[in-house]
């Protein structure tokens, strides 16, 4: 469960988030939307402890994040699978090694790494490309590799920041279906997207931000 | 829910194995990366290698000088000139007493008569000697001390000088003392200069590693975002530093061997001309190993310095 309690984030000159109270239940799938600059990215940054709230409290699984010190951040982030708009793949290694990275970081044995990475690649339909360099894949395929990497360590929470930002509508729908499939097996999914046409068809909660305020979808 | 799904990760045993595996992998990959860019790697190795080789060569040279003068010490002897009015029998008693001392190896009396004969024979001045009314030479005692340092020799000379039977002690210890002081000075100077050169090499290596951190910034950001600890991110760079250091140490050993190989023929010729059976002593396997270990330590320290300062700054934004 993710819980924002009266969270504000102020950068030097402006308020990125103002007094946000929001609960996302375990196993829920929700979208965050709003114009660019509305605070979507800031919300995700706070959740990943890339930044700390200026005021208010953010808890994940009943644990206040303010109690997590610098040393604990790495372990905390392993609760999440993250999908980036520009997928952030490493082009100096194979598709397989990209997907296996979270497992290596989490300290899985080699046999587990092989088995799970292949299973994740199979889920996104790219098992036959495991030896390829990610640079040789299409944009949609790269994003699917990014998703495989995000889910490979079986995180409890999957976060995606504009995952379909660079994809055409058909590919976007396909990617969203993938997220829905993970949600069906119990993963909490939180997706920031401004593709309103796409997300309104998905029939999940839509959280709308406007100039740092929550204007719709606070939930419960 | 399985243990992994609860965020506990793998079990402790498998975690240790994978930690070990990541060490092996980091070690292998960083060495591989260095060998794939042989020219720039060689240059980095040379920076450390030269910084290590110069002081090491000087230390080896000082060791050689030290070793040669150890032979000089053992051949040290005192000449004690006794008072002019000492009877030969009294002189013999005195020599017998001296020979009992624990710090004296041998004490030999050269009576005044024999000293004069030897002087006449050695110098060819027997005709002149024959014209003398009295023997102007005193009885002389040649004392060989047991092996001891220059300072102890000087103390012993003072002890002899205070004996009533002795009029004069001849022992030229000053040059030995000077040499020993000079060697000590040289050794300390070499340590100081060597330490400075190593600090310079350490900073140069740290800068090289800083550049590698910069070059891999994107990768570091991604792995930190997906939950890599600082230790995990640091590991490849520590091995990079270690390999640079070990490579530098190997280069340094090679340079010292090369320099000594160039120096050996003239030095050995010089030693032969001085009738010494000694030859120039090299670095030796242990010396070479020490250089490699020092190199490795310097490399590791530079990587530690670079990662402590720069890796922390590479954070996801």
């Amino acid at each position: 469960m993710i819980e924002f309690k009266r969270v504000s984030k102020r950068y030097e000159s402006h308020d990125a988030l103002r007094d946000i109270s929001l609960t996302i239940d375990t196993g829920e799938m929700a979208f965050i939307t709003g114009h660019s600059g509305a605070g979507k990215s800031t919300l995700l940054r706070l959740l990943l402890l890339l930044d700390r709230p200026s005021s208010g409290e953010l808890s994940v699984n009943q644990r206040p994040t303010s109690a997590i010190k610098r040393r604990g951040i790495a372990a905390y982030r392993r609760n999440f699978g993250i999908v980036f708009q520009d997928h952030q793949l490493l082009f100096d290694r194979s598709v397989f090694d990209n997907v296996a990275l979270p497992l290596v970081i989490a300290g899985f044995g080699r046999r587990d790494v092989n088995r799970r990475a292949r299973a994740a690649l199979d889920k996104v339909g790219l098992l036959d490309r495991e030896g390829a360099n990610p640079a040789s894949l299409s944009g949609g395929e790269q994003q699917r590799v990014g998703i495989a990497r995000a889910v490979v360590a079986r995180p409890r929470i999957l976060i995606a920041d504009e995952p379909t930002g660079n994809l055409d509508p058909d590919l976007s729908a396909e990617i969203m279906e993938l997220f829905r499939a993970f949600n069906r097996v119990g993963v909490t999914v939180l997706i920031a997207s401004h593709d309103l046409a796409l997300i309104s068809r998905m029939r999940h909660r839509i959280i709308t931000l406007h100039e740092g305020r929550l204007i719709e979808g606070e939930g419960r | 829910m399985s243990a992994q799904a609860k965020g506990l990760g793998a079990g402790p045993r498998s975690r240790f194995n994978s930690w070990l595996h990541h060490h092996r992998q980091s070690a292998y990959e960083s060495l591989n990366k260095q060998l794939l860019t042989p020219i720039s790697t060689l240059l980095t190795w040379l920076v450390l290698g030269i910084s290590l080789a110069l002081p090491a060569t000087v230390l080896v040279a000082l060791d050689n000088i030290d070793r040669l003068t150890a032979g000089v010490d053992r051949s040290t002897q005192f000449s004690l000139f006794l008072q002019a009015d000492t009877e030969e029998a009294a002189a013999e008693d005195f020599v017998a007493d001296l020979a009992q001392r624990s710090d004296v190896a041998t004490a030999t009396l050269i009576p005044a008569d024999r000293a004069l004969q030897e002087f006449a024979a050695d110098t060819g001045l027997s005709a002149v000697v024959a014209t003398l009314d009295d023997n102007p030479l005193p009885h002389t005692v040649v004392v060989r001390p047991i092996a001891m340092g220059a300072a102890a020799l000087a103390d012993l000379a003072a002890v002899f000088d205070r004996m009533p039977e002795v009029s004069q002690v001849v022992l030229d210890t000053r040059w030995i003392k000077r040499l020993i002081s000079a060697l000590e000075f040289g050794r300390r100077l070499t340590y100081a200069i060597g330490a400075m050169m190593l600090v310079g090499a350490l900073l140069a290596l740290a800068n090289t590693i800083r550049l590698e951190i910069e070059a891999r910034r994107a990768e570091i950001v991604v792995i930190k975002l997906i939950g890599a600890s600082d230790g995990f991110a640091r590991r490849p760079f520590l091995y990079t530093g270690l390999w640079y250091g070990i490579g530098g140490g190997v280069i340094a050993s090679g340079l010292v061997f090369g320099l000594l190989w160039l120096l050996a023929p003239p030095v050995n010729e010089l030693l032969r001309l001085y009738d010494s059976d000694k030859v120039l002593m090299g670095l030796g396997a242990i010396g070479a190993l020490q250089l490699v270990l020092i190199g490795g330590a310097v490399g590791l320290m530079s990587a530690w310095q670079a990662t402590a300062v720069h890796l922390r700054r590479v954070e996801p934004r």
Side-chain angles (χ1 to χ4, degrees):
Chain A
M1 189 171 75
I2 300 166
E3 200 172 9
F4 287 79
K5 269 191 230 157
R6 309 206 60 185
V7 170
S8 296
K9 178 64 187 177
R10 188 177 170 77
Y11 290 109
E12 276 164 34
S13 54
H14 76 291
D15 293 303
L17 288 178
R18 303 178 208 211
D19 204 16
I20 301 286
S21 291
L22 175 67
T23 304
I24 294 153
D25 287 324
T26 302
E28 196 185 344
M29 179 161 177
F31 292 98
I32 308 171
T33 190
H35 298 293
S36 58
K40 301 188 296 278
S41 297
T42 306
L43 199 81
L44 297 186
R45 291 175 60 79
L46 294 183
L47 194 51
L48 293 173
L49 298 189
L50 291 166
D51 255 325
R52 302 283 191 165
S54 306
S55 65
E57 194 171 88
L58 166 59
S59 302
V60 174
N61 300 327
Q62 272 81 44
R63 189 174 170 209
T65 54
S66 55
I68 298 169
K69 302 275 184 290
R70 192 184 189 281
R71 283 183 148 276
I73 290 178
Y76 167 82
R77 283 190 191 141
R78 281 180 234 138
N79 288 308
F80 299 89
I82 312 167
V83 179
F84 306 90
Q85 176 172 4
D86 51 355
H87 46 72
Q88 299 272 12
L89 299 178
L90 301 174
F91 292 144
D92 65 343
R93 59 197 79 188
S94 68
V95 165
F96 177 89
D97 285 338
N98 269 279
V99 172
L101 198 54
L103 300 172
V104 174
I105 289 171
F108 284 91
R110 207 186 315 194
R111 205 177 307 161
D112 277 343
V113 169
N114 288 339
R115 192 167 49 77
R116 288 178 180 225
R118 297 231 161 80
L121 276 170
D122 195 26
K123 263 184 226 154
V124 299
L126 285 173
L127 189 54
D128 56 333
R129 306 302 303 272
E130 63 170 325
N133 187 295
S136 67
L137 305 184
S138 70
E141 287 172 326
Q142 287 178 344
Q143 193 54 291
R144 272 146 65 199
V145 175
I147 292 170
R149 184 180 65 186
V151 300
V152 72
R154 296 182 196 160
R156 310 164 79 181
I157 304 167
L158 188 57
I159 291 180
D161 188 6
E162 302 284 0
T164 60
N166 298 327
L167 303 178
D168 62 44
D170 283 350
L171 275 176
S172 300
E174 204 179 288
I175 296 289
M176 285 301 179
E177 269 316 306
L178 260 177
F179 284 125
R180 193 128 75 170
F182 290 117
N183 176 242
R184 273 198 294 270
V185 296
V187 180
T188 308
V189 180
L190 188 59
I191 301 169
S193 174
H194 60 257
D195 190 347
L196 269 175
L198 175 64
I199 64 180
S200 51
R201 284 203 307 270
M202 305 272 298
R203 296 170 189 279
H204 288 287
R205 173 146 66 117
I206 298 176
I207 299 156
T208 309
L209 294 172
H210 181 71
E211 291 179 349
R213 287 184 203 283
L214 186 67
I215 57 170
E216 197 195 325
E218 59 264 53
R220 302 266 209 173
Chain B
M1 207 179 258
S2 72
Q4 282 83 12
K6 279 180 192 154
L8 298 175
R13 188 175 196 178
S14 138
R15 180 160 292 190
F16 176 74
N17 285 339
S18 71
W19 176 83
L20 212 61
H21 177 66
H22 188 241
H23 267 280
R24 269 205 302 271
Q25 200 181 345
S26 302
Y28 171 77
E29 279 174 8
S30 52
L31 181 62
N32 207 32
K33 265 195 183 118
Q34 285 184 16
L35 297 180
L36 283 175
T37 52
I39 303 291
S40 64
T41 298
L42 189 66
L43 288 177
T44 309
W45 285 354
L46 275 174
V47 169
L48 181 60
I50 292 171
S51 306
L52 272 173
L54 290 184
T57 308
V58 176
L59 286 178
V60 168
L62 290 175
D63 275 349
N64 272 294
I65 296 172
D66 206 17
R67 203 169 48 99
L68 295 178
T69 54
V72 175
D73 269 355
R74 276 193 293 279
S75 67
T76 303
Q77 60 182 38
F78 295 90
S79 296
L80 311 184
F81 298 113
L82 302 187
Q83 302 289 358
D85 55 358
T86 309
E87 297 294 330
E88 188 163 341
E92 276 168 5
D93 289 345
F94 175 65
V95 168
D97 286 346
L98 274 186
Q100 297 297 311
R101 290 180 61 101
S102 62
D103 47 7
V104 170
T106 61
T108 317
L109 178 68
I110 302 173
D113 296 344
R114 210 179 84 210
L116 191 64
Q117 283 165 19
E118 283 178 6
F119 174 76
D122 286 355
T123 58
L125 296 174
S126 47
V128 177
V129 169
T131 64
L132 293 173
D133 294 336
D134 287 326
N135 181 351
L137 297 179
H139 300 302
T140 305
V141 185
V142 174
V143 177
R144 282 179 167 280
I146 56 165
M148 60 177 74
L153 281 176
D155 289 345
L156 190 57
V159 170
F160 291 145
D161 202 34
R162 282 195 298 273
M163 290 176 172
E165 298 88 344
V166 177
S167 87
Q168 201 186 350
V169 180
V170 175
L171 168 70
D172 194 359
T173 57
R174 277 195 301 180
W175 74 272
I176 296 177
K177 282 195 211 163
R178 283 177 186 158
L179 179 68
I180 288 171
S181 305
L183 281 176
E184 185 56 28
F185 170 69
R187 192 165 284 133
R188 288 192 186 193
L189 188 66
T190 310
Y191 283 139
I193 291 173
M196 283 192 281
M197 293 182 78
L198 280 190
V199 170
L202 193 147
L203 294 177
L205 271 187
N207 194 49
T208 305
I209 290 165
R210 180 184 69 81
L211 293 176
E212 295 195 13
I213 291 173
E214 289 301 326
R216 293 171 71 176
R217 174 175 278 271
E219 176 190 344
I220 297 165
V221 166
V222 170
I223 67 169
K224 280 194 174 181
L225 261 179
I226 60 183
S229 64
D230 287 342
F232 186 93
R234 191 192 298 129
R235 211 159 290 148
F237 298 104
L238 291 185
Y239 276 101
T240 300
L242 183 67
W243 292 129
Y244 277 142
I246 287 176
V250 170
I251 295 269
S253 301
L255 285 175
V256 174
F257 275 114
L259 280 172
L260 292 177
W261 180 78
L262 281 177
L263 288 175
V267 172
N268 287 339
E269 177 64 10
L270 197 64
L271 289 171
R272 199 185 58 75
L273 291 176
Y274 275 99
D275 291 332
S276 171
D277 53 354
K278 295 194 166 80
V279 291
L280 184 66
M281 199 174 60
L283 188 58
I286 291 186
L289 189 67
Q290 280 174 336
L291 275 184
V292 173
L293 287 179
I294 293 172
V298 168
L300 207 52
M301 278 192 285
S302 63
W304 203 273
Q305 194 270 342
T307 52
V309 175
H310 302 289
L311 201 55
R312 241 169 196 277
R313 292 200 196 134
V314 182
E315 282 289 338
R317 286 272 159 254

